[in-house]
Amino acid sequence: MADYKLGLMEMKFAELIWQHEPIASGELVKLCKREFEWKKSTTYTMLKRLIEKEIFQNNNSQVTSLISLEEFKARQSEEFIEEEFEGSLPKFLTAFTSKNKLTEKEIEELQKLIDENRS
């Protein structure tokens, strides 16, 4: 399983790619210079990290995602629950609701999700 933990700047960089993909790597360098004041080498170092994490690819100087932002967030959530709560969604919800009381709307949404997944 790939590692979906990203630092703050890695996440900002990833979001920038998702917003502009497909994007030529040269255009990505220019965009990062403008957005983050990065040098070319910084952009390519960061891109290499995210390619190694199997989130993006760079084929023929064209950067595209291997997974969508939504899928990334889902995988990141799964990884967090697996590591912190032994893969138990009930343990996560127990921890979450011990300090954050659910609204009626949230309870209804969760009940709907449970009902949809019951079969």
Side-chain angles (χ1 to χ4, degrees):
M1 182 171 177
D3 179 13
Y4 294 106
K5 290 182 193 142
L6 300 183
L8 177 64
M9 290 310 296
E10 286 176 321
M11 191 63 206
K12 286 184 178 195
F13 179 64
E15 287 172 344
L16 192 67
I17 296 171
W18 275 309
Q19 289 171 2
H20 294 89
E21 74 169 313
I23 185 168
S25 57
E27 286 303 310
L28 183 59
V29 168
K30 291 176 189 173
L31 189 58
C32 289
K33 182 172 179 57
R34 188 169 61 246
E35 294 289 322
F36 308 129
E37 299 181 5
W38 285 356
K39 295 179 181 177
K40 179 180 179 179
S41 60
T42 304
T43 299
Y44 282 114
T45 298
M46 190 69 77
L47 180 59
K48 182 179 179 209
R49 282 190 211 160
L50 298 186
I51 288 170
E52 288 171 355
K53 291 179 184 257
E54 300 176 6
I55 300 169
F56 297 102
Q57 62 184 351
N58 185 5
N59 289 330
N60 298 321
S61 299
Q62 193 78 351
V63 179
T64 57
S65 63
L66 293 170
I67 61 173
S68 69
L69 175 58
E70 293 76 23
E71 187 176 348
F72 170 79
K73 287 182 178 181
R75 289 183 184 184
Q76 201 175 39
S77 297
E78 289 170 9
E79 194 172 278
F80 174 75
I81 290 171
E82 184 62 40
E83 290 177 6
E84 300 298 323
F85 299 95
E86 301 167 350
S88 171
L89 186 57
K91 284 182 182 181
F92 166 75
L93 288 172
T94 300
F96 182 83
T97 58
S98 69
K99 298 237 181 200
N100 304 288
K101 295 303 173 199
L102 297 175
T103 66
E104 279 303 314
K105 183 178 182 199
E106 290 171 326
I107 292 169
E108 288 172 14
E109 289 174 4
L110 284 171
Q111 187 60 56
K112 182 180 175 188
L113 184 62
I114 290 167
D115 292 342
E116 288 172 356
N117 286 280
R118 191 171 293 272
S119 51

